[in-house]
Amino acid sequence: MDVYLFLIAISLVLFFCSFVLHHVNPTSLFTGLAILLFILSVGLIFFATLLNHFERFTFWLIVPIAIFFLILAVFWLFILVIMVFVNTRAVLKRERFSIGNLLPLFSLIGFVVLELILFLLQHYYGDVRFVKMMLVFIHSTISYIILLFSLYTFTAIYYKWMPTFKKIDYILILGSGLIKDQVTPLLAGRIDAGMQFFKKQKVKPTIIVCGGKGADENISEAEAMKKYIVENYESDLPIYLENQSTTTEENIQFAEKVVQEQDQRDLKKANVAIATSTYHLLRAGKLAQQLGIRAFGIGGKTKLYYIPTAFIREFIGYIVLKKRTNILIVSFLLLFAIISNLF
């Protein structure tokens, strides 16, 4: 009983932390961590209850799960290599050839080469103090990046499915490029997601389509997006055009100016939803949060094969976005490596 009470108390504390963090900053990785720990604590209570009342059933339930994770622990690198090669092949077959589309493959090759170098250093020069220090630093940095990526992934999933019960005042639909004057399938997915959300609202929000005119585009993204909405949904809708931006941050900044000009209203004090591709949601939400705008996320459909490539690019973008924090943490890891090899 004491164990149950302890687990329940931990769950309640984690639920309270999750609730507070969700309302303060839903895009924070600490929010994702608190929610993940809360889910794990509830899972522990569930399994403890099963074990206490249905011991035999719980045993047969745990065994296949344990076997699965054991296989994953032993063959994870082999599985990862196969998945990355299959995904890269699918992307190159369906999308244009570019360095960005090869990012998962390059990341994997870099990781494997680094691990091989570390193994050789450990084997031949493992007793050298400087080498030992560098091994500790590199391994701890790799562990930090893996942990960061795991938390980023979970928080991104949560942010996509995060519920909202507030009346939304504005829906920002972010651009992603055109083919001449036509929206791409990726951009259409963003618009469709925003419009489906719009149709569900009892009090209709104002739609803001965001995106300027590229060098190889005949019209601005905002104009093409409005045209798509008029042709596929309704012609008489409250739509504002933000047609100057070239980046996600500018999408949000210039949309704020549009709202000030059109409605004499501060977007920071409004309830905002951002419609973009699912893989892009969390970083867009973080950029909005940094600009003082707390936004609800609407994820547009993305082809499954394209998600790993795009998500890795977004994660790298997140590392750059939080470069000061990450540099500070990596510096602490270096200091730890130095101190640990002085004694």
Side-chain angles (χ1 to χ4, degrees):
M1 184 60 69
D2 290 341
V3 174
Y4 278 112
L5 290 175
F6 175 74
L7 288 174
I8 291 170
I10 291 295
S11 295
L12 289 173
V13 170
L14 289 170
F15 175 77
F16 176 75
C17 292
S18 302
F19 181 81
V20 172
L21 287 168
H22 164 82
H23 284 278
V24 173
N25 185 358
T27 65
S28 171
L29 298 197
F30 287 110
T31 304
L33 176 61
I35 293 169
L36 179 60
L37 291 175
F38 169 69
I39 292 171
L40 291 174
S41 68
V42 172
L44 280 174
I45 293 172
F46 174 73
F47 273 108
T49 304
L50 280 180
L51 189 62
N52 191 41
H53 295 89
F54 308 99
E55 186 175 341
R56 189 178 183 86
F57 171 77
T58 308
F59 173 78
W60 289 111
L61 181 66
I62 292 175
V63 166
I65 296 174
I67 292 172
F68 169 76
F69 280 105
L70 180 62
I71 293 172
L72 194 63
V74 175
F75 298 105
W76 69 272
L77 185 57
F78 179 71
I79 295 169
L80 182 64
V81 168
I82 292 176
M83 289 176 64
V84 169
F85 272 100
V86 170
N87 175 251
T88 302
R89 184 176 180 275
V91 170
L92 294 180
K93 186 177 180 181
R94 294 174 173 85
E95 304 288 337
R96 62 188 178 88
F97 181 88
S98 69
I99 299 298
N101 288 336
L102 290 172
L103 198 55
L105 183 61
F106 288 156
S107 300
L108 177 66
I109 292 172
F111 177 73
V112 171
V113 170
L114 179 60
E115 285 295 322
L116 180 60
I117 292 172
L118 293 178
F119 172 78
L120 293 174
L121 285 173
Q122 177 71 47
H123 183 74
Y124 290 105
Y125 305 101
D127 295 331
V128 179
R129 176 169 288 186
F130 176 76
V131 173
K132 288 170 68 177
M133 182 198 73
M134 290 306 300
L135 288 172
V136 170
F137 170 64
I138 294 172
H139 279 302
S140 59
T141 302
I142 291 172
S143 299
Y144 167 67
I145 292 172
I146 292 172
L147 175 62
L148 196 65
F149 182 78
S150 302
L151 285 177
Y152 184 85
T153 302
F154 180 81
T155 308
I157 294 170
Y158 164 73
Y159 188 64
K160 172 178 168 50
W161 296 106
M162 181 181 76
T164 182
F165 304 102
K166 295 182 178 179
K167 179 185 76 69
I168 297 298
D169 301 307
Y170 297 95
I171 299 175
L172 275 61
I173 306 178
L174 307 187
S176 65
L178 304 174
I179 300 176
K180 293 186 178 179
D181 61 346
Q182 300 296 316
V183 302
T184 62
L186 185 68
L187 182 53
R190 296 182 178 190
I191 299 170
D192 292 337
M195 294 308 301
Q196 291 302 318
F197 181 80
F198 173 87
K199 287 161 65 176
K200 293 177 182 177
Q201 306 307 300
K202 291 181 181 179
V203 180
K204 300 305 181 187
T206 299
I207 300 165
I208 306 176
V209 286
C210 305
K213 179 177 176 295
D216 58 343
E217 296 169 350
N218 298 326
I219 59 175
S220 70
E221 289 181 64
E223 292 175 88
M225 291 160 75
K226 182 176 180 180
K227 180 182 175 183
Y228 178 90
I229 292 171
V230 169
E231 291 176 352
N232 292 276
Y233 294 95
E234 298 178 40
S235 58
D236 188 21
L237 288 176
I239 302 177
Y240 294 162
L241 273 67
E242 180 289 292
N243 54 13
Q244 301 297 319
S245 59
T246 57
T247 66
T248 301
E249 188 172 9
E250 288 181 355
N251 284 164
I252 301 166
Q253 286 176 323
F254 295 162
E256 188 174 13
K257 291 181 180 178
V258 169
V259 170
Q260 288 172 344
E261 292 170 0
Q262 296 289 336
D263 297 340
Q264 291 75 51
R265 190 173 179 183
D266 188 353
L267 202 60
K268 294 181 178 69
K269 297 179 181 178
N271 294 321
V272 179
I274 293 179
T276 185
S277 304
T278 298
Y279 63 82
H280 184 233
L281 261 184
L282 183 59
R283 193 164 69 88
K286 280 187 169 297
L287 285 167
Q289 188 81 30
Q290 287 190 347
L291 294 169
I293 299 168
R294 188 181 184 278
F296 168 76
I298 308 166
K301 290 183 179 179
T302 307
K303 293 177 181 177
L304 190 62
Y305 69 84
Y306 192 68
I307 290 176
T309 299
F311 196 75
I312 288 175
R313 286 207 303 263
E314 288 299 312
F315 177 65
I316 293 172
Y318 167 77
I319 290 176
V320 174
L321 184 65
K322 294 288 186 178
K323 57 181 178 293
R324 290 183 180 178
T325 302
N326 290 316
I327 289 172
L328 182 63
I329 292 173
V330 170
S331 299
F332 274 119
L333 293 176
L334 178 59
L335 183 62
F336 169 76
I338 293 171
I339 293 172
S340 65
N341 281 278
L342 289 178
F343 303 102

